[in-house]
Amino acid sequence: KDAIGEISNISMGSAATTLGMLLNQTVTITTPNVSYVEWGELADSYDRPCVFLQIKYVDGLDGNNVLVLKENDVKIITDLMMGGAGEVDDSEPLSELHLSAIGEAMNQMMGSAATSMSSMLNKKIDISPPTAELVDLNESMNTGKLPEFLKSKFVKVSFKMLIGNLIDSEIMQLYPFEFAKSLYEIFGMKSGGSSDSTASATASAQPAPAPAPA
């Protein structure tokens, strides 16, 4: 969990800088929280449609992950990209224009994250352009909209995201367990970690006990 958190923290820090330049706003992404969850747990924490952006690695890493953004955050980001002030109508339906714009924003953002990961892991990493889709988290997993890895337990990396004074929200990355494990193994080799990486990675992805209330 610590390794995945560190990789995500550095790569998403670069991504936040890129998004800030694109939106001409200060973008802050906090230290990530890494957990190992099932679909039902995710659906229970998000009761309205979200935008899923599926990202596939085409060079350097084998696998994919999903970036999750709240619907209203997507509208605000899209408005800012088009030169607006980020003022949106909550009742306005999400359109193909919104999905296309957020796909382009996340393409630039995650491209920057991939470049950062390339430097960190000392290997070339490239992504394909993300595909964006509005998903109701309460709908069946059998609709065909969602990647197969979400049918079993997966790794969730959540960040608090602040964009100017317009967005105070959360952004999530969802990884297949095997992909998270491979990241850990590469990171471990790069930093001279234990050779028993498979056993260590399995242990690292188990949910940690909840911290005691402050």
Side-chain angles (χ1 to χ4, degrees):
K1 286 174 70 172
D2 287 345
I4 296 300
E6 186 168 345
I7 292 168
S8 298
N9 194 34
I10 294 170
S11 61
M12 290 300 285
S14 297
T17 300
T18 298
L19 185 63
M21 292 171 65
L22 185 64
L23 303 181
N24 197 27
Q25 293 279 336
T26 300
V27 176
T28 304
I29 294 179
T30 62
T31 303
N33 178 47
V34 182
S35 54
Y36 193 45
V37 301
E38 294 179 333
W39 178 254
E41 297 172 72
L42 183 70
D44 287 345
S45 64
Y46 275 71
D47 59 1
R48 57 182 299 168
C50 297
V51 174
F52 272 41
L53 294 112
Q54 295 193 52
I55 298 150
K56 292 184 175 158
Y57 291 89
V58 296
D59 199 0
L61 293 171
D62 182 18
N64 66 324
N65 67 79
V66 173
L67 201 63
V68 185
L69 289 163
K70 294 183 179 178
E71 182 182 14
N72 210 52
D73 296 346
V74 168
K75 293 178 189 175
I76 294 170
I77 290 170
T78 300
D79 188 68
L80 290 170
M81 286 177 70
M82 296 178 175
E87 297 173 357
V88 298
D89 181 355
D90 288 354
S91 63
E92 177 192 3
L94 208 67
S95 67
E96 285 300 320
L97 177 63
H98 290 112
L99 293 177
S100 175
I102 199 64
E104 176 53 32
M106 293 303 108
N107 188 35
Q108 292 190 41
M109 190 174 167
M110 297 311 294
S112 176
T115 300
S116 178
M117 286 174 69
S118 294
S119 298
M120 188 178 8
L121 303 177
N122 198 26
K123 62 189 301 185
K124 182 182 177 184
I125 297 172
D126 282 331
I127 62 165
S128 63
T131 56
E133 189 159 19
L134 185 65
V135 173
D136 182 345
L137 295 185
N138 298 313
E139 69 187 7
S140 168
M141 282 293 299
N142 299 321
T143 59
K145 290 182 180 179
L146 303 172
E148 193 72 18
F149 78 83
L150 294 176
K151 291 184 178 179
S152 55
K153 286 191 103 172
F154 51 89
V155 177
K156 180 183 86 168
V157 185
S158 58
F159 307 80
K160 184 175 182 181
M161 179 175 69
L162 305 172
I163 300 181
N165 60 358
L166 298 167
I167 292 178
D168 182 349
S169 187
E170 185 181 44
I171 184 171
M172 291 188 294
Q173 273 187 291
L174 310 178
Y175 294 124
F177 173 74
E178 288 300 321
F179 178 76
K181 189 171 79 169
S182 70
L183 274 183
Y184 168 83
E185 289 170 348
I186 295 167
F187 183 82
M189 287 186 289
K190 176 75 170 58
S191 51
S194 165
S195 60
D196 187 17
S197 54
T198 302
S200 301
T202 303
S204 77
Q206 300 308 310

